[in-house]
Amino acid sequence: PKSENAWVFAKPNAIQAIGVMSFAFICNHNSFLIYGSLEEPSLKNWSRVTHVSVSLAAVISVVFASCGYMTFTGYTEGDIFENYCRDDNLATFGRFCYGITVILTFPLECFVTREVIANVFFHGNLSTVCHIAVTVVIIAVATGVSLMYDCLGIVLELNGVLSATPLVFIIPTACYLRLSKERWNHSDNLVSCVILALGVLVMTVGFAMTVLHPQECSHGKEMFYCFPGNVSFHNSTLPP
């Protein structure tokens, strides 16, 4: 069914979306590992890889987001798969593909975390036993936390404003300003200051908005429009 004000742009929770989008594109923690994996590690090759991959990711994200919202408008859930009914075979196949993607992506994140732990606590050297133990602990902690909550929307929002925003906007610009030898009113320094201020604003306001107005979640229940025979389907209204 149609929902009111479905195409109003930039509602108050738009700032939370900035954090989510930042989280979708964050890859700083993998940069050194990926750069080292290039057959010919050079700035030219690195620039080509990053521009092609980020541009492709942007196009795919925009297409999926637009199609998902145009389909469900005001009823769009934080996890778009929750909007599809259980008897939708294509959606089930999509869930399967998403699960495979997570399984294949998780090792990359695990490698980075293990590398940091090895450098901080073991001076960069891990024995076979420690290697296995650290890996098991990382996976166990991540799996345990993920099993405690079933709503993807608020997880993406918190990750975005507390992790992605500092890594994308705050830390790089702060490091640049600290190391820059140009005058304080140099154009590069002024741009960095603006980005830094916006990053702090997004992180602060986004965290407050996420805590006060978290993304709604169906907790695995099918949406009401999956039952055409239900009377509420014909007399449905958006919640206030």
Side-chain angles (χ1 to χ4, degrees), residues 22-41:
S22 301
F23 176 73
F25 287 95
I26 191 170
C27 55
N28 309 45
H29 53 300
N30 286 323
S31 297
F32 292 105
L33 293 176
I34 297 174
Y35 181 83
S37 69
L38 294 178
E39 186 175 348
E40 296 181 9

Side-chain angles (χ1 to χ4, degrees), residues 6 35-36 41 53-54 67 69 80 90 108 112-113 128 130 132 141 149 167-168 184 188-190 206 217 219 222 239:
Y35 181 83
S53 59
V54 172
C67 293
Y69 188 78
I80 191 66
L90 282 177
L108 268 179
V112 176
T113 306
T128 303
C130 289
I132 296 174
V141 171
Y149 206 73
L167 285 172
V168 173
W184 68 270
D188 290 341
N189 289 342
L190 293 178
C217 182
H219 298 288
E222 284 196 271

Side-chain angles (χ1 to χ4, degrees), residues 111-124 126 134 137-138:
F111 293 161
V112 176
T113 306
R114 187 175 60 206
E115 184 79 8
V116 172
I117 292 175
N119 290 331
V120 173
F121 298 104
F122 300 95
H123 306 290
L126 283 176
V134 171
V137 169
I138 293 173

Side-chain angles (χ1 to χ4, degrees), residues 1 27 59 180 190 199 233-234:
C27 55
V59 171
S180 176
L190 293 178
F233 177 81
H234 302 285

Side-chain angles (χ1 to χ4, degrees), residues 114-165:
R114 187 175 60 206
E115 184 79 8
V116 172
I117 292 175
N119 290 331
V120 173
F121 298 104
F122 300 95
H123 306 290
N125 296 316
L126 283 176
S127 64
T128 303
V129 175
C130 289
H131 181 94
I132 296 174
V134 171
T135 303
V136 170
V137 169
I138 293 173
I139 295 175
V141 171
T143 304
V145 173
S146 66
L147 291 175
M148 293 172 59
Y149 206 73
D150 64 343
C151 290
L152 185 61
I154 190 173
V155 173
L156 292 177
E157 291 175 2
L158 287 176
N159 274 334
V161 296
L162 296 180
S163 300
T165 302

